[in-house]
């Protein structure tokens, strides 16, 4: 029997009927007051009518669309993402359909509209605010000049009415100006775009601007993590030196020992359209496609891996939990932990291997100690694949950036 009753639909219908009836009631009263004669000075009558009509009209005007939304259970779809923004990869900016893999960065197919957040000033809310603050300003003027015009001459009454009238006039006037400015921007159809994409191998974020559903500009920054591979080097370009080979073998040894983690990261910075500068208002291009620029930067990032601390469980409680005691003497005797503490002074934050190379070159003594640590690990039986060393060596000679128009 309970399944035959749809309480959600009935409650929405009841709420919509109540909101619609209240809106008609307020609008009818406002229309009646507007057409009714007021036996007072025409200016005071106009101010009093303005206050009542704007107040009741604003509330009634908001209740009407609210009743429709309550009845349908949906909101008006007025904040769509421009098609031009959805036609570009959100990681690198390449023009790629959302149902195909991006040929530049390899971003998988996805529904890009789910990642966007569109912010546009609401016209209904701005109009409601303008009417509400306008009614407050009318009431302030009425209270300010009404008592004196009616013959009130008591000083304390005039002061009280003057203070109240000025307060209402100041609040109403300031609110009216702000609401009109927001309403003007909303009438211009301008909206701001923001998006964020997070994944295991992809991470991207960006912002943009649109006008009446037409994209003005869109900028973004993407990061893609790829498997390690030797970077191609053209003949006659970067040349390997003995110092590079020693450094590459050292980094490869640290990665093979689990002391550091390497990540082949490619970052993309792109701009679609003309981004305004200096706070200028963006303008849509009338004809032609939007200009597109992209900068690509590939780097081999290195960071310190977390240290695995030697622990041993001892004793058990009735609830099944165990006490865990850390054996600090085991930590001090583990060679890998000693090497990890040495490189912590350089790798507390993720950095490029080229920056690490530069820092060690500026400190020859610690560079020699770093190479000695890596040599000791290899002499202790650690075997390092030549492909891993080649990947580090290739990253040292890779170009920093590749601009694309």
């Amino acid at each position: 029997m309970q399944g035959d009753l749809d309480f959600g639909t009935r409650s929405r219908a009841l709420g919509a009927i109540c909101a619609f009836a209240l809106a008609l009631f307020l609008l009818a009263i406002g229309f009646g007051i507007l057409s009714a004669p007021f036996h007072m000075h025409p200016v005071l009558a106009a101010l009093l009518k303005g206050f009542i009509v704007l107040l009741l009209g604003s509330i009634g005007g908001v209740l009407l669309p609210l009743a429709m939304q309550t009845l349908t259970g949906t909101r008006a779809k007025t904040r769509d993402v421009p098609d031009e923004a959805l036609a570009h990869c959100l990681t690198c900016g390449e023009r790629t359909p959302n149902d195909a893999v991006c040929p530049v960065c390899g971003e998988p197919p996805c529904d890009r509209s789910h990642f966007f957040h569109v912010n546009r000033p609401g016209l209904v809310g701005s109009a409601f605010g303008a009417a509400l603050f306008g009614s407050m300003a009318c009431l302030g003027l009425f209270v300010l000049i009404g008592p004196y015009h009616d013959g009130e001459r008591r000083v304390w009454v005039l002061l009280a009415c003057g203070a109240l009238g000025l307060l209402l006039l100041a609040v109403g006037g300031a609110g009216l100006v702000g609401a009109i400015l927001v309403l003007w921007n909303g009438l211009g159809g301008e909206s701001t775009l923001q998006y964020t994409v997070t994944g295991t191998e992809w991470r991207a974020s960006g912002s943009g601007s649109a006008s009446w559903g037409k994209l003005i500009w869109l900028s973004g920054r993407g990061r893609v993590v790829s498997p390690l591979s030797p970077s191609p080097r053209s003949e006659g370009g970067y040349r390997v030196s003995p110092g590079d080979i020693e450094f590459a073998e050292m980094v490869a040894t640290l990665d093979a020992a689990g002391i550091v983690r390497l990540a082949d990261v490619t970052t993309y910075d792109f701009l679609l359209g003309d981004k305004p500068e200096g706070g200028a208002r963006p303008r849509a291009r009338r004809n032609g496609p939007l200009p597109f620029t992209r900068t690509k930067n590939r780097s081999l990032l290195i960071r310190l891996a977390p240290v695995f601390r030697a622990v041993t469980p001892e004793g058990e409680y009735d609830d099944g939990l165990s006490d865990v005691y850390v054996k600090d003497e085991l930590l001090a005797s583990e060679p890998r932990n000693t090497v990890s503490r040495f490189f912590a002074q350089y790798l507390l934050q993720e950095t490029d291997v080229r920056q690490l190379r530069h820092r060690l070159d500026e400190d020859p003594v610690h560079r020699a100690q770093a190479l000695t640590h890596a040599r000791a690990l290899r002499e202790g039986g650690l075997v390092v694949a030549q492909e891993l060393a080649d990947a580090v060596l290739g990253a040292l000679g890779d170009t920093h950036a590749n601009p694309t128009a």
Side-chain angles (χ1 to χ4, degrees):
M1 180 177 179
Q2 184 177 358
D4 298 334
L5 299 177
D6 189 355
F7 292 100
T9 303
R10 293 188 177 184
S11 61
R12 287 200 305 268
L14 180 60
I17 293 174
C18 293
F20 187 73
L22 182 59
L24 290 181
F25 175 73
L26 294 177
L27 292 177
I29 293 180
F31 179 77
I33 293 177
L34 182 63
S35 58
F38 277 39
H39 301 289
M40 61 178 63
H41 193 277
V43 175
L44 295 179
L47 291 176
L48 186 57
K49 286 185 177 182
F51 162 67
I52 299 176
V53 171
L54 288 176
L55 179 62
L56 298 181
S58 62
I59 300 176
V62 169
L63 288 176
L64 286 178
L66 180 62
M68 296 299 298
Q69 295 177 10
T70 304
L71 183 61
T72 58
T74 58
R75 293 186 178 182
K77 191 177 181 181
T78 60
R79 300 187 176 185
D80 295 339
V81 182
D83 295 336
E84 183 67 16
L86 299 177
H88 289 262
C89 173
L90 300 183
T91 302
C92 66
E94 185 71 11
R95 189 174 185 86
T96 308
N98 58 4
D99 57 350
V101 178
C102 178
V104 176
C105 65
E107 182 185 77
C110 61
D111 188 359
R112 295 167 184 160
S113 61
H114 291 167
F115 302 112
F116 274 93
H117 174 71
V118 183
N119 184 16
R120 181 179 177 183
L123 299 180
V124 176
S126 302
F128 171 75
L132 187 63
F133 285 111
S135 66
M136 187 178 298
C138 291
L139 179 61
L141 287 174
F142 179 83
V143 174
L144 185 64
I145 63 178
Y148 184 83
H149 180 271
D150 290 340
E152 180 62 56
R153 294 298 181 268
R154 288 174 294 180
V155 177
W156 68 271
V157 175
L158 294 177
L159 290 177
C161 293
L164 179 60
L166 289 176
L167 178 62
L168 293 174
L169 183 61
V171 175
L176 179 61
V177 172
I180 291 177
L181 292 178
V182 175
L183 184 61
W184 178 261
N185 293 332
L187 291 175
E190 296 181 4
S191 59
T192 57
L193 311 175
Q194 289 183 340
Y195 72 88
T196 302
V197 181
T198 57
T200 305
E201 300 177 352
W202 283 268
R203 186 187 310 165
S205 62
S207 60
S209 178
S211 177
W212 294 114
K214 185 177 181 181
L215 183 65
I216 300 178
W217 63 271
L218 181 69
S219 66
R221 179 179 180 87
R223 169 186 168 121
V224 181
V225 181
S226 306
L228 294 181
S229 62
S231 300
R233 298 189 300 274
S234 60
E235 185 177 355
Y238 176 77
R239 298 187 178 183
V240 179
S241 65
D244 294 335
I245 297 177
E246 290 181 346
F247 177 81
E249 291 179 347
M250 179 199 72
V251 174
T253 302
L254 297 177
D255 182 73
I259 297 175
V260 299
R261 291 289 182 267
L262 297 177
D264 190 350
V265 177
T266 304
T267 57
Y268 300 90
D269 293 278
F270 70 89
L271 174 61
L272 179 64
D274 299 321
K275 186 176 181 179
E277 306 223 355
R281 294 187 63 181
R283 295 182 179 180
R285 297 172 64 92
R286 295 183 178 179
N287 299 316
L290 297 176
F292 174 72
T293 57
R294 178 175 60 223
T295 301
K296 175 182 177 181
N297 183 17
R298 183 182 179 187
S299 58
L300 185 62
L301 300 183
I302 180 174
R303 63 181 177 88
L304 198 64
V307 178
F308 293 96
R309 311 187 72 181
V311 297
T312 177
E314 294 183 2
E316 292 186 357
Y317 294 102
D318 294 337
D319 57 1
L321 300 178
S322 300
D323 286 332
V324 178
Y325 296 92
V326 179
K327 299 298 184 181
D328 293 332
E329 61 272 12
L330 294 178
L331 294 177
S333 63
E334 176 61 39
R336 286 181 175 83
N337 293 328
T338 303
V339 177
S340 179
R341 285 195 295 270
F342 172 81
F343 281 96
Q345 58 183 318
Y346 300 102
L347 302 176
L348 287 179
Q349 295 181 348
E350 190 178 54
T351 184
D352 194 325
V353 291
R354 290 168 290 196
Q355 296 179 359
L356 177 62
R357 163 76 187 276
H358 180 69
R359 291 190 60 186
L360 289 177
D361 287 344
E362 292 180 342
D363 191 354
V365 175
H366 284 94
R367 175 187 172 90
Q369 182 60 54
L371 296 175
T372 302
H373 277 311
R375 192 180 306 112
L377 291 174
R378 292 194 298 270
E379 292 175 354
L382 181 65
V383 180
V384 182
Q386 185 61 38
E387 291 79 4
L388 182 57
D390 291 341
V392 180
L393 193 61
L396 294 177
D398 198 5
T399 57
H400 286 270
N402 180 23
T404 303

mmCIF file with all atom_site columns, all heavy atoms in Angstrom, residues 48-64:
data_model
loop_
_atom_site.group_PDB
_atom_site.id
_atom_site.type_symbol
_atom_site.label_atom_id
_atom_site.label_alt_id
_atom_site.label_comp_id
_atom_site.label_asym_id
_atom_site.label_entity_id
_atom_site.label_seq_id
_atom_site.pdbx_PDB_ins_code
_atom_site.Cartn_x
_atom_site.Cartn_y
_atom_site.Cartn_z
_atom_site.occupancy
_atom_site.B_iso_or_equiv
_atom_site.pdbx_formal_charge
_atom_site.auth_seq_id
_atom_site.auth_comp_id
_atom_site.auth_asym_id
_atom_site.auth_atom_id
_atom_site.pdbx_PDB_model_num
ATOM 1   N N   . LEU A 1 48 ? 5.293  55.812 -1.005  1.00 0.00 ? 48 LEU A N   1
ATOM 2   C CA  . LEU A 1 48 ? 4.641  54.733 -0.263  1.00 0.00 ? 48 LEU A CA  1
ATOM 3   C C   . LEU A 1 48 ? 4.196  53.612 -1.202  1.00 0.00 ? 48 LEU A C   1
ATOM 4   O O   . LEU A 1 48 ? 4.366  52.426 -0.891  1.00 0.00 ? 48 LEU A O   1
ATOM 5   C CB  . LEU A 1 48 ? 3.455  55.288 0.514   1.00 0.00 ? 48 LEU A CB  1
ATOM 6   C CG  . LEU A 1 48 ? 2.743  54.304 1.462   1.00 0.00 ? 48 LEU A CG  1
ATOM 7   C CD1 . LEU A 1 48 ? 3.733  53.728 2.472   1.00 0.00 ? 48 LEU A CD1 1
ATOM 8   C CD2 . LEU A 1 48 ? 1.584  54.978 2.165   1.00 0.00 ? 48 LEU A CD2 1
ATOM 9   N N   . LYS A 1 49 ? 3.627  53.989 -2.341  1.00 0.00 ? 49 LYS A N   1
ATOM 10  C CA  . LYS A 1 49 ? 3.252  52.971 -3.316  1.00 0.00 ? 49 LYS A CA  1
ATOM 11  C C   . LYS A 1 49 ? 4.476  52.224 -3.854  1.00 0.00 ? 49 LYS A C   1
ATOM 12  O O   . LYS A 1 49 ? 4.437  51.011 -4.049  1.00 0.00 ? 49 LYS A O   1
ATOM 13  C CB  . LYS A 1 49 ? 2.491  53.619 -4.481  1.00 0.00 ? 49 LYS A CB  1
ATOM 14  C CG  . LYS A 1 49 ? 1.067  54.045 -4.155  1.00 0.00 ? 49 LYS A CG  1
ATOM 15  C CD  . LYS A 1 49 ? 0.369  54.565 -5.406  1.00 0.00 ? 49 LYS A CD  1
ATOM 16  C CE  . LYS A 1 49 ? -1.084 54.932 -5.102  1.00 0.00 ? 49 LYS A CE  1
ATOM 17  N NZ  . LYS A 1 49 ? -1.805 55.401 -6.312  1.00 0.00 ? 49 LYS A NZ  1
ATOM 18  N N   . GLY A 1 50 ? 5.548  52.957 -4.095  1.00 0.00 ? 50 GLY A N   1
ATOM 19  C CA  . GLY A 1 50 ? 6.764  52.306 -4.577  1.00 0.00 ? 50 GLY A CA  1
ATOM 20  C C   . GLY A 1 50 ? 7.299  51.286 -3.593  1.00 0.00 ? 50 GLY A C   1
ATOM 21  O O   . GLY A 1 50 ? 7.728  50.192 -3.974  1.00 0.00 ? 50 GLY A O   1
ATOM 22  N N   . PHE A 1 51 ? 7.264  51.661 -2.294  1.00 0.00 ? 51 PHE A N   1
ATOM 23  C CA  . PHE A 1 51 ? 7.738  50.728 -1.268  1.00 0.00 ? 51 PHE A CA  1
ATOM 24  C C   . PHE A 1 51 ? 6.903  49.450 -1.254  1.00 0.00 ? 51 PHE A C   1
ATOM 25  O O   . PHE A 1 51 ? 7.440  48.334 -1.290  1.00 0.00 ? 51 PHE A O   1
ATOM 26  C CB  . PHE A 1 51 ? 7.707  51.426 0.097   1.00 0.00 ? 51 PHE A CB  1
ATOM 27  C CG  . PHE A 1 51 ? 7.765  50.468 1.246   1.00 0.00 ? 51 PHE A CG  1
ATOM 28  C CD1 . PHE A 1 51 ? 8.897  49.719 1.505   1.00 0.00 ? 51 PHE A CD1 1
ATOM 29  C CD2 . PHE A 1 51 ? 6.644  50.295 2.076   1.00 0.00 ? 51 PHE A CD2 1
ATOM 30  C CE1 . PHE A 1 51 ? 8.937  48.828 2.568   1.00 0.00 ? 51 PHE A CE1 1
ATOM 31  C CE2 . PHE A 1 51 ? 6.675  49.411 3.128   1.00 0.00 ? 51 PHE A CE2 1
ATOM 32  C CZ  . PHE A 1 51 ? 7.826  48.663 3.380   1.00 0.00 ? 51 PHE A CZ  1
ATOM 33  N N   . ILE A 1 52 ? 5.580  49.602 -1.212  1.00 0.00 ? 52 ILE A N   1
ATOM 34  C CA  . ILE A 1 52 ? 4.703  48.426 -1.093  1.00 0.00 ? 52 ILE A CA  1
ATOM 35  C C   . ILE A 1 52 ? 4.730  47.584 -2.370  1.00 0.00 ? 52 ILE A C   1
ATOM 36  O O   . ILE A 1 52 ? 4.847  46.356 -2.324  1.00 0.00 ? 52 ILE A O   1
ATOM 37  C CB  . ILE A 1 52 ? 3.273  48.867 -0.750  1.00 0.00 ? 52 ILE A CB  1
ATOM 38  C CG1 . ILE A 1 52 ? 3.254  49.608 0.586   1.00 0.00 ? 52 ILE A CG1 1
ATOM 39  C CG2 . ILE A 1 52 ? 2.340  47.670 -0.702  1.00 0.00 ? 52 ILE A CG2 1
ATOM 40  C CD1 . ILE A 1 52 ? 1.893  50.176 0.954   1.00 0.00 ? 52 ILE A CD1 1
ATOM 41  N N   . VAL A 1 53 ? 4.636  48.254 -3.521  1.00 0.00 ? 53 VAL A N   1
ATOM 42  C CA  . VAL A 1 53 ? 4.581  47.514 -4.784  1.00 0.00 ? 53 VAL A CA  1
ATOM 43  C C   . VAL A 1 53 ? 5.903  46.789 -5.059  1.00 0.00 ? 53 VAL A C   1
ATOM 44  O O   . VAL A 1 53 ? 5.925  45.622 -5.481  1.00 0.00 ? 53 VAL A O   1
ATOM 45  C CB  . VAL A 1 53 ? 4.226  48.469 -5.936  1.00 0.00 ? 53 VAL A CB  1
ATOM 46  C CG1 . VAL A 1 53 ? 4.389  47.769 -7.291  1.00 0.00 ? 53 VAL A CG1 1
ATOM 47  C CG2 . VAL A 1 53 ? 2.806  48.983 -5.767  1.00 0.00 ? 53 VAL A CG2 1
ATOM 48  N N   . LEU A 1 54 ? 7.020  47.459 -4.834  1.00 0.00 ? 54 LEU A N   1
ATOM 49  C CA  . LEU A 1 54 ? 8.316  46.807 -5.061  1.00 0.00 ? 54 LEU A CA  1
ATOM 50  C C   . LEU A 1 54 ? 8.541  45.650 -4.103  1.00 0.00 ? 54 LEU A C   1
ATOM 51  O O   . LEU A 1 54 ? 9.070  44.601 -4.490  1.00 0.00 ? 54 LEU A O   1
ATOM 52  C CB  . LEU A 1 54 ? 9.450  47.827 -4.925  1.00 0.00 ? 54 LEU A CB  1
ATOM 53  C CG  . LEU A 1 54 ? 9.570  48.857 -6.055  1.00 0.00 ? 54 LEU A CG  1
ATOM 54  C CD1 . LEU A 1 54 ? 10.670 49.858 -5.732  1.00 0.00 ? 54 LEU A CD1 1
ATOM 55  C CD2 . LEU A 1 54 ? 9.851  48.171 -7.385  1.00 0.00 ? 54 LEU A CD2 1
ATOM 56  N N   . LEU A 1 55 ? 8.136  45.816 -2.835  1.00 0.00 ? 55 LEU A N   1
ATOM 57  C CA  . LEU A 1 55 ? 8.321  44.748 -1.860  1.00 0.00 ? 55 LEU A CA  1
ATOM 58  C C   . LEU A 1 55 ? 7.461  43.536 -2.206  1.00 0.00 ? 55 LEU A C   1
ATOM 59  O O   . LEU A 1 55 ? 7.959  42.403 -2.299  1.00 0.00 ? 55 LEU A O   1
ATOM 60  C CB  . LEU A 1 55 ? 7.978  45.267 -0.467  1.00 0.00 ? 55 LEU A CB  1
ATOM 61  C CG  . LEU A 1 55 ? 8.101  44.241 0.675   1.00 0.00 ? 55 LEU A CG  1
ATOM 62  C CD1 . LEU A 1 55 ? 9.533  43.747 0.800   1.00 0.00 ? 55 LEU A CD1 1
ATOM 63  C CD2 . LEU A 1 55 ? 7.626  44.852 1.990   1.00 0.00 ? 55 LEU A CD2 1
ATOM 64  N N   . LEU A 1 56 ? 6.170  43.764 -2.405  1.00 0.00 ? 56 LEU A N   1
ATOM 65  C CA  . LEU A 1 56 ? 5.284  42.639 -2.716  1.00 0.00 ? 56 LEU A CA  1
ATOM 66  C C   . LEU A 1 56 ? 5.567  42.069 -4.106  1.00 0.00 ? 56 LEU A C   1
ATOM 67  O O   . LEU A 1 56 ? 5.504  40.846 -4.309  1.00 0.00 ? 56 LEU A O   1
ATOM 68  C CB  . LEU A 1 56 ? 3.824  43.097 -2.628  1.00 0.00 ? 56 LEU A CB  1
ATOM 69  C CG  . LEU A 1 56 ? 3.353  43.592 -1.250  1.00 0.00 ? 56 LEU A CG  1
ATOM 70  C CD1 . LEU A 1 56 ? 1.891  43.988 -1.306  1.00 0.00 ? 56 LEU A CD1 1
ATOM 71  C CD2 . LEU A 1 56 ? 3.580  42.526 -0.187  1.00 0.00 ? 56 LEU A CD2 1
ATOM 72  N N   . GLY A 1 57 ? 5.886  42.949 -5.063  1.00 0.00 ? 57 GLY A N   1
ATOM 73  C CA  . GLY A 1 57 ? 6.169  42.469 -6.408  1.00 0.00 ? 57 GLY A CA  1
ATOM 74  C C   . GLY A 1 57 ? 7.430  41.630 -6.482  1.00 0.00 ? 57 GLY A C   1
ATOM 75  O O   . GLY A 1 57 ? 7.489  40.628 -7.210  1.00 0.00 ? 57 GLY A O   1
ATOM 76  N N   . SER A 1 58 ? 8.467  42.026 -5.722  1.00 0.00 ? 58 SER A N   1
ATOM 77  C CA  . SER A 1 58 ? 9.708  41.250 -5.733  1.00 0.00 ? 58 SER A CA  1
ATOM 78  C C   . SER A 1 58 ? 9.494  39.860 -5.135  1.00 0.00 ? 58 SER A C   1
ATOM 79  O O   . SER A 1 58 ? 9.973  38.857 -5.678  1.00 0.00 ? 58 SER A O   1
ATOM 80  C CB  . SER A 1 58 ? 10.800 42.006 -4.972  1.00 0.00 ? 58 SER A CB  1
ATOM 81  O OG  . SER A 1 58 ? 10.422 42.177 -3.602  1.00 0.00 ? 58 SER A OG  1
ATOM 82  N N   . ILE A 1 59 ? 8.764  39.792 -4.016  1.00 0.00 ? 59 ILE A N   1
ATOM 83  C CA  . ILE A 1 59 ? 8.507  38.486 -3.402  1.00 0.00 ? 59 ILE A CA  1
ATOM 84  C C   . ILE A 1 59 ? 7.635  37.623 -4.307  1.00 0.00 ? 59 ILE A C   1
ATOM 85  O O   . ILE A 1 59 ? 7.909  36.429 -4.519  1.00 0.00 ? 59 ILE A O   1
ATOM 86  C CB  . ILE A 1 59 ? 7.868  38.665 -2.016  1.00 0.00 ? 59 ILE A CB  1
ATOM 87  C CG1 . ILE A 1 59 ? 8.804  39.455 -1.088  1.00 0.00 ? 59 ILE A CG1 1
ATOM 88  C CG2 . ILE A 1 59 ? 7.536  37.311 -1.401  1.00 0.00 ? 59 ILE A CG2 1
ATOM 89  C CD1 . ILE A 1 59 ? 8.213  39.761 0.261   1.00 0.00 ? 59 ILE A CD1 1
ATOM 90  N N   . GLY A 1 60 ? 6.586  38.219 -4.856  1.00 0.00 ? 60 GLY A N   1
ATOM 91  C CA  . GLY A 1 60 ? 5.723  37.465 -5.754  1.00 0.00 ? 60 GLY A CA  1
ATOM 92  C C   . GLY A 1 60 ? 6.437  37.036 -7.020  1.00 0.00 ? 60 GLY A C   1
ATOM 93  O O   . GLY A 1 60 ? 6.222  35.928 -7.536  1.00 0.00 ? 60 GLY A O   1
ATOM 94  N N   . GLY A 1 61 ? 7.313  37.895 -7.556  1.00 0.00 ? 61 GLY A N   1
ATOM 95  C CA  . GLY A 1 61 ? 8.047  37.539 -8.760  1.00 0.00 ? 61 GLY A CA  1
ATOM 96  C C   . GLY A 1 61 ? 9.027  36.404 -8.552  1.00 0.00 ? 61 GLY A C   1
ATOM 97  O O   . GLY A 1 61 ? 9.307  35.639 -9.477  1.00 0.00 ? 61 GLY A O   1
ATOM 98  N N   . VAL A 1 62 ? 9.574  36.278 -7.350  1.00 0.00 ? 62 VAL A N   1
ATOM 99  C CA  . VAL A 1 62 ? 10.479 35.169 -7.052  1.00 0.00 ? 62 VAL A CA  1
ATOM 100 C C   . VAL A 1 62 ? 9.709  33.882 -6.810  1.00 0.00 ? 62 VAL A C   1
ATOM 101 O O   . VAL A 1 62 ? 10.166 32.788 -7.156  1.00 0.00 ? 62 VAL A O   1
ATOM 102 C CB  . VAL A 1 62 ? 11.367 35.524 -5.836  1.00 0.00 ? 62 VAL A CB  1
ATOM 103 C CG1 . VAL A 1 62 ? 12.131 34.310 -5.336  1.00 0.00 ? 62 VAL A CG1 1
ATOM 104 C CG2 . VAL A 1 62 ? 12.338 36.625 -6.214  1.00 0.00 ? 62 VAL A CG2 1
ATOM 105 N N   . LEU A 1 63 ? 8.532  33.981 -6.215  1.00 0.00 ? 63 LEU A N   1
ATOM 106 C CA  . LEU A 1 63 ? 7.756  32.782 -5.910  1.00 0.00 ? 63 LEU A CA  1
ATOM 107 C C   . LEU A 1 63 ? 7.244  32.079 -7.159  1.00 0.00 ? 63 LEU A C   1
ATOM 108 O O   . LEU A 1 63 ? 7.075  30.850 -7.155  1.00 0.00 ? 63 LEU A O   1
ATOM 109 C CB  . LEU A 1 63 ? 6.580  33.138 -4.997  1.00 0.00 ? 63 LEU A CB  1
ATOM 110 C CG  . LEU A 1 63 ? 6.933  33.481 -3.548  1.00 0.00 ? 63 LEU A CG  1
ATOM 111 C CD1 . LEU A 1 63 ? 5.692  33.910 -2.780  1.00 0.00 ? 63 LEU A CD1 1
ATOM 112 C CD2 . LEU A 1 63 ? 7.590  32.288 -2.860  1.00 0.00 ? 63 LEU A CD2 1
ATOM 113 N N   . LEU A 1 64 ? 6.988  32.807 -8.234  1.00 0.00 ? 64 LEU A N   1
ATOM 114 C CA  . LEU A 1 64 ? 6.478  32.177 -9.452  1.00 0.00 ? 64 LEU A CA  1
ATOM 115 C C   . LEU A 1 64 ? 7.471  31.177 -10.064 1.00 0.00 ? 64 LEU A C   1
ATOM 116 O O   . LEU A 1 64 ? 7.120  30.016 -10.290 1.00 0.00 ? 64 LEU A O   1
ATOM 117 C CB  . LEU A 1 64 ? 6.090  33.250 -10.472 1.00 0.00 ? 64 LEU A CB  1
ATOM 118 C CG  . LEU A 1 64 ? 4.791  34.017 -10.181 1.00 0.00 ? 64 LEU A CG  1
ATOM 119 C CD1 . LEU A 1 64 ? 4.559  35.083 -11.246 1.00 0.00 ? 64 LEU A CD1 1
ATOM 120 C CD2 . LEU A 1 64 ? 3.608  33.055 -10.122 1.00 0.00 ? 64 LEU A CD2 1
#
